[in-house]
């Protein structure tokens, strides 16, 4: 295991001290006919089956390999500890080591950087062997064209190297000329703390993301996983800098956003006894590999995410115990090479090690392994057409307050809906509720296994209980995934299913008001109203299975909730809408009609209630089309804020097919300068019903059902100035 592997450094301490001053770094040898092509896992396995890679007293063994892509097609390989020899017998080579050294790969040609006798590639002038040294972490090309390599500064006051007493004390960064590989500068990183940001690095078009891991492996003098520092080893943190600007102080990830305060940073992921995330970006997918519990443990996890901060989900777990090179050997440090094979697979490497006396006699036991692994992808669903909606009385599917599994910010939860939706359901109509979120944020819902959309379904302020309806496609096993930007409890109530055939279709209406208690007496606390719907607001007197209504509460006397359900049935223990004292707030509800063609409304607190009907459902209605993902036809934040009393036209032509008669989507207001409402229409009618009610300085979302004009547009009329976002989820035609 790694503890035994590293104790070898004590044995040659005297030899190193006899060598005198540390020599300069050896220059890479020029190679002929080297084409810069990449090597597959199988080809790398063949290369590292032999000692002496790089020529002469070349690479014989090493661990914690890191591979850096250079702009000219070469790759720089650095190892935390590296031994040099032309054969597998290291019993005569105790002085042939360096704390960091490596190889330059140009296709199938290899040359050395660093050399025996602690001739370290980086930081030799600052190194006292076995007492104070530097190990490489990740690196990337910076804004200045240099290769920036982050290094962990290690100290062991006992002078025994990588064993008990050794601890990381800070982070340094080296600037390396990518052509000559000369070290241009070496100094503490802008964040020189011991969270070791730069353990792995990934970049998008705007930022470079630095993953941090405390790497405290030698905290306790035992030979087991308990040797690790359990206070930090399970955690990975995340920071970011403008792309390539590794010279500036970073921002730090907190659930819900970023902060400049390093002490406010929150773990990106906590898992196992040690969770050193190794992240790469391939195309639009971020991939992480972790040898869980590092030196110990039996698995390598491969995770994927659509963003550098997540949400991370496990794509596969690889059982690697059978891949050990001897019964006493260990596998540790999973690392992805920075390219894909010609067949599109990733090249996964790991370190091997074992008791010193074993690999001293056979250096093959101390060389990396390579395997080809499928690149994680997200399922791409084909659109479903001819889909019907099957309503049901509301039923609660999940409530994290009851399970004690509050959703952590930056992560997602899987909500199994089998038994709550129809047996053949391909989508769900649900009410999604955020309860007491830690700060401002949003929820997103999508079919598990597909790529998480960028559109939110619900926006919330801190501490509130906020609900919004959602019409969302399900995965093939009827699961729904829900992501939260910040810590919050989540409730999901099911009110209907989309099924591949049969059930009901939609008849859109110009939204009209069929109930408003503000013209009379408010609904009393614990009171119930019976609201006749059949024959009102454009709904036929018969032949109606369900309606979609918008429920608005105003002037509630205290905090509480409203429940809407089919009359004649027992009131379900769910909420349709949640409110605070003095609120004006709305939410959509799709509900079957009950006795006498009515719906019933219960209010927990005294409040005025309004009901606007937006559509009705029957077997003769228009069928739904469930797209592969949510689309965003409108985001006014890219331009001027819509004025009070204005109407914003939403062009849907690029997002819905010809013949679309209606659409369901999420309307979000942002930055309202005064309280107001949004009313949706097909741009020809003037609805008297409300889709969304909003207040100043609070982002709110509301589900809207609206008829689509023949030229495939809808209109949003705002009573107070606010930015508007519209995300289309379901179309009908």
């Amino acid at each position: 295991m790694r503890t035994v592997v590293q104790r070898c450094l004590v044995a040659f301490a005297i030899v190193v001290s006899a060598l005198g001053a540390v020599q300069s770094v050896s220059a890479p040898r020029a190679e002929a006919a080297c084409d810069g092509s990449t090597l597959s896992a199988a080809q790398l396995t063949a290369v590292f089956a032999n000692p002496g890679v790089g020529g002469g007293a070349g690479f014989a063994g090493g661990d914690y390999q890191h591979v850096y892509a250079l702009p000219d097609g070469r790759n720089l390989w650095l190892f935390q500890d590296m031994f040099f020899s032309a054969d597998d017998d290291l019993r005569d080579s105790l002085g042939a080591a360096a704390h960091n050294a490596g190889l330059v790969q140009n296709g199938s040609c290899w040359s050395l950087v660093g050399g025996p006798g602690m001739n370290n590639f980086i930081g030799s002038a600052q190194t006292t062997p076995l007492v104070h040294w530097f190990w490489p972490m990740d690196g990337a090309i910076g804004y200045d064209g240099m290769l920036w390599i982050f290094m962990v500064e290690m100290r062991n006051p006992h002078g025994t190297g990588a064993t008990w007493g050794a601890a990381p004390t800070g982070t340094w960064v080296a600037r390396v000329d990518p052509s000559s590989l000369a070290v241009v500068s070496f100094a503490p990183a802008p964040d020189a703390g011991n969270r070791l940001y730069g353990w792995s690095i990934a970049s998008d078009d705007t930022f470079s993301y630095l993953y941090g891991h405390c790497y405290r492996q030698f905290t306790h003098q035992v030979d087991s996983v308990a040797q690790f520092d359990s206070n930090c080893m399970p955690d990975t943190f995340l920071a970011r800098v403008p792309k390539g600007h590794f010279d500036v102080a970073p921002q730090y990830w907190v659930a819900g956003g970023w902060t400049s305060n390093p002490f406010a940073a929150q773990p990106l992921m906590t898992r196992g006894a040690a969770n050193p995330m190794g992240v790469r970006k391939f195309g639009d997918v971020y991939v992480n590999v972790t040898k869980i519990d590092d030196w110990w443990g039996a698995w390598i996890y491969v995770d994927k995410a659509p963003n550098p901060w997540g949400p991370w989900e496990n794509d596969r777990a690889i059982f690697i115990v059978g891949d050990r090179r001897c019964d006493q050997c260990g596998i540790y440090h999973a690392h992805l090479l920075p390219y894909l094979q010609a067949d599109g697979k990733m090249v996964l490497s790991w370190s091997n090690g074992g008791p010193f006396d074993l690999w001293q006699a056979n250096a093959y036991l101390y060389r990396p392994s390579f395997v080809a692994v499928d690149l994680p992808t997200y399922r791409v669903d084909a659109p479903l057409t001819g889909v019907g909606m099957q309503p049901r009385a509301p039923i609660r599917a999940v409530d994290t307050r009851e399970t004690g599994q509050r959703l952590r910010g930056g992560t997602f939860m899987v909500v199994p809906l089998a038994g709550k939706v129809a047996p053949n359901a391909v989508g769900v109509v649900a009410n999604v509720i955020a309860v007491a979120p830690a700060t401002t944020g949003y929820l997103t819902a999508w079919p598990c296994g597909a790529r998480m959309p960028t559109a939110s379904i619900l926006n919330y302020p801190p501490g509130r209980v906020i609900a919004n309806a959602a019409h969302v496609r399900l995965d093939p096993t009827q699961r729904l995934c829900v992501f939260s930007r910040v810590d919050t409890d989540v409730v999901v109530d099911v009110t209907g299913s989309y099924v591949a055939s049969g059930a009901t279709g939609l008849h859109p209406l110009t939204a009209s008001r069929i109930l408003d208690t503000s013209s009379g007496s408010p609904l009393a606390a614990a009171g119930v109203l019976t609201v006749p719907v059949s024959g009102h607001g454009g709904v036929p007197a018969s032949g109606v299975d369900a309606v979609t209504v918008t429920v608005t509460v105003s002037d509630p006397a205290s905090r509480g909730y409203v429940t809407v359900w089919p009359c004649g049935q027992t009131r379900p223990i769910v909420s349709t809408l949640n409110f605070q004292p003095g609120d004006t707030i709305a939410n959509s509800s799709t509900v079957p009609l009950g006795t006498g063609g009515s719906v019933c409304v219960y209010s927990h607190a005294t409040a005025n209630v309004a009901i606007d009907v937006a559509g009705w459902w029957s077997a003769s209605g228009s069928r739904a089309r469930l797209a592969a993902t949510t689309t965003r036809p409108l985001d006014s934040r890219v331009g001027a804020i819509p004025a009070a009393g204005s109407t914003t036209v939403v062009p849907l032509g690029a997002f819905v097919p010809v013949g679309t008669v209606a659409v369901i989507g999420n309307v979000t207001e942002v930055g309202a300068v005064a309280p107001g409402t949004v009313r949706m229409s097909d741009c020809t009618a003037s609805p008297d019903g409300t889709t969304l009610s909003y207040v100043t300085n609070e982002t709110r979302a509301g589900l809207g059902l609206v008829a689509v004009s023949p030229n495939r547009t809808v209109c949003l009329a705002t009573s107070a100035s606010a930015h508007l976002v519209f995300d289309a989820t379901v179309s009908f035609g």
Side-chain angles (χ1 to χ4, degrees):
M1 291 207 260
R2 172 73 170 174
T3 48
V4 183
V5 170
Q6 291 290 27
R7 278 198 287 269
C8 69
L9 295 180
V10 179
F12 65 88
I14 297 176
V15 177
V16 171
S17 64
L19 293 174
V22 176
Q23 304 170 25
S24 61
V25 176
S26 59
R29 279 188 299 119
E31 300 282 357
C34 301
D35 59 5
S37 61
T38 57
L39 300 185
S40 67
Q43 290 170 318
L44 289 168
T45 296
V47 168
F48 284 91
N50 303 300
V53 179
F59 175 86
D63 59 4
Y64 283 90
Q65 62 277 5
H66 292 82
V67 184
Y68 315 93
L70 300 175
D72 59 8
R74 296 178 299 160
N75 288 297
L76 172 64
W77 295 59
L78 293 182
F79 297 82
Q80 278 191 358
D81 285 318
M82 177 169 161
F83 280 76
F84 299 82
S85 178
D87 59 35
D88 281 323
D89 188 347
L90 298 181
R91 288 173 294 186
D92 58 350
S93 305
L94 291 179
H99 276 305
N100 67 79
L103 297 158
V104 182
Q105 176 198 358
N106 188 0
S108 58
C109 302
W110 301 79
S111 54
L112 296 174
V113 290
M118 285 298 168
N119 190 2
N120 302 303
F121 175 54
I122 295 174
S124 277
Q126 295 87 359
T127 295
T128 303
L130 310 178
V131 176
H132 179 227
W133 68 94
F134 299 90
W135 276 336
M137 301 190 293
D138 208 353
I141 299 298
Y143 74 97
D144 57 355
M146 295 288 124
L147 172 63
W148 295 62
I149 299 177
F150 285 77
M151 308 286 290
V152 50
E153 179 185 25
M154 297 292 298
R155 293 184 185 272
N156 188 334
H158 304 146
T160 53
T163 184
W164 178 72
T169 57
T171 308
W172 288 48
V173 64
R175 292 170 61 244
V176 178
D177 186 304
S179 297
S180 67
L181 297 185
V183 179
V184 177
S185 64
F186 185 50
D191 183 325
N194 58 12
R195 279 185 175 162
L196 308 183
Y197 291 103
W199 179 266
S200 64
I201 301 172
S203 296
D204 59 21
D205 292 338
T206 307
F207 293 100
S208 293
Y209 298 88
L210 311 177
Y211 297 81
H213 187 250
C214 75
Y215 199 52
R216 289 185 54 84
Q217 299 175 305
F218 311 102
T219 301
H220 306 292
Q221 197 172 11
V222 294
D223 194 19
S224 71
V225 72
Q227 182 175 329
F228 296 160
D229 187 343
S230 61
N231 291 320
C232 68
M233 285 287 280
D235 298 329
T236 293
F237 290 82
L238 180 63
R240 73 178 186 184
V241 296
K243 186 177 181 180
H245 275 275
F246 304 112
D247 57 332
V248 302
Q251 295 177 307
Y252 304 90
W253 169 258
V254 294
W258 302 88
T259 177
S260 59
N261 179 5
F263 303 104
Q266 297 176 348
L268 177 71
M269 186 192 297
T270 299
R271 182 169 63 183
N275 184 46
M277 293 176 65
V279 179
R280 294 277 190 202
K281 183 175 184 284
F282 295 110
D284 62 354
V285 179
Y286 292 84
V287 183
N288 167 57
V289 291
T290 301
K291 169 53 174 48
I292 204 69
D293 299 344
D294 210 18
W295 308 335
W296 291 272
W299 300 88
I300 290 176
Y301 287 173
V302 181
D303 307 311
K304 64 184 177 184
N307 307 289
W309 42 261
W312 291 97
E313 61 180 296
N314 183 246
D315 187 76
R316 66 177 64 90
I318 303 172
F319 186 69
I320 42 77
V321 170
D323 294 296
R324 295 181 302 163
R325 292 188 169 172
C326 69
D327 290 344
Q328 300 175 65
C329 292
I331 290 173
Y332 50 97
H333 178 62
H335 178 74
L336 287 173
L337 271 64
Y339 59 82
L340 300 177
Q341 293 186 161
D343 60 3
K345 292 188 176 184
M346 304 183 298
V347 180
L348 168 64
S349 67
W350 62 70
S351 294
N352 295 286
F356 172 53
D357 58 342
L358 291 182
W359 68 258
Q360 183 189 19
N362 182 7
Y364 175 70
L365 303 181
Y366 191 39
R367 293 202 286 270
S369 292
F370 305 90
V371 295
V373 179
D374 289 336
L375 176 67
T377 58
Y378 290 97
R379 191 185 67 252
V380 178
D381 298 317
L384 292 174
T385 58
V387 176
M389 197 280 291
Q390 183 173 314
R392 65 157 301 154
I395 185 172
R396 182 140 293 174
V398 67
D399 185 342
T400 63
R401 295 171 299 180
E402 296 179 355
T403 63
Q405 296 175 319
R406 182 173 167 89
L407 185 54
R408 179 176 165 184
T411 67
F412 70 96
M413 61 186 293
V414 176
V415 183
L417 293 178
K420 301 295 193 299
V421 294
N424 57 343
V426 294
V428 65
V429 183
N431 203 41
V432 183
I433 308 169
V435 182
T439 186
T440 301
Y442 61 85
L443 294 181
T444 298
W446 74 101
C448 296
R451 186 179 180 89
M452 187 184 81
T454 57
S456 62
I457 62 162
L458 171 64
N459 297 78
Y460 47 70
R464 288 283 301 274
V465 180
I466 297 288
N468 195 29
H471 292 229
V472 188
R473 190 165 174 168
L474 297 176
D475 80 354
T477 59
Q478 298 182 328
R479 299 180 309 165
L480 181 71
C481 279
V482 178
F483 166 86
S484 180
R485 182 71 167 174
V486 308
D487 292 2
T488 187
D489 279 302
V490 175
V491 177
V492 177
D493 298 328
V494 174
T495 64
S497 305
Y498 283 100
V499 295
S501 61
T504 66
L506 175 65
H507 303 265
L509 296 170
T510 300
S512 61
R513 184 148 292 183
I514 60 173
L515 170 75
D516 190 348
T517 66
S518 63
S519 60
S521 299
L523 178 58
V528 175
L529 280 175
T530 298
V531 184
V533 179
S534 293
H536 298 271
V539 178
S542 62
V544 178
D545 293 298
V547 291
T548 295
V549 297
T550 299
V551 184
T552 303
V553 166
S554 58
D555 303 317
S558 61
R559 63 183 297 179
Y561 62 91
V562 160
T563 302
V564 179
W565 77 102
C567 292
Q569 299 184 17
T570 302
R571 175 170 63 89
I573 308 303
V574 302
S575 63
T576 302
L577 177 63
N578 299 79
F579 50 77
Q580 293 281 94
D583 254 346
T584 299
I585 192 167
N587 192 21
S588 175
S589 178
T590 297
V591 58
L593 292 185
T595 304
S598 298
V599 297
C600 283
V601 181
Y602 166 88
S603 181
H604 175 73
T606 299
N608 280 310
V609 178
I611 304 287
D612 304 319
V613 62
W616 58 280
W617 303 78
S618 77
S620 62
S622 297
R623 298 289 147 167
R625 179 182 186 269
L626 301 183
T629 188
T630 301
T631 56
R632 177 163 287 178
L634 172 70
D635 188 340
S636 72
R637 291 173 296 180
V638 300
I641 188 169
S646 66
T647 296
T648 300
V649 178
V650 183
L652 297 176
F655 303 94
V656 300
V658 174
T660 296
V661 299
V663 67
I664 290 176
N666 211 42
V667 182
T668 305
E669 67 73 26
V670 183
V673 300
T677 61
V678 174
R679 297 185 177 189
M680 297 186 71
S681 73
D682 65 356
C683 302
T684 64
S686 298
D688 63 1
T690 295
T691 300
L692 174 67
S693 296
Y694 52 86
V695 295
T696 308
N697 297 324
E698 181 181 313
T699 300
R700 281 190 180 177
L703 191 80
L705 185 163
V706 63
V708 175
S709 68
N711 65 350
R712 286 182 289 168
T713 60
V714 297
C715 283
L716 306 179
T718 49
S719 64
S721 183
H723 275 300
L724 298 174
V725 179
F726 182 69
D727 299 312
T729 58
V730 185
S731 61
F732 297 82

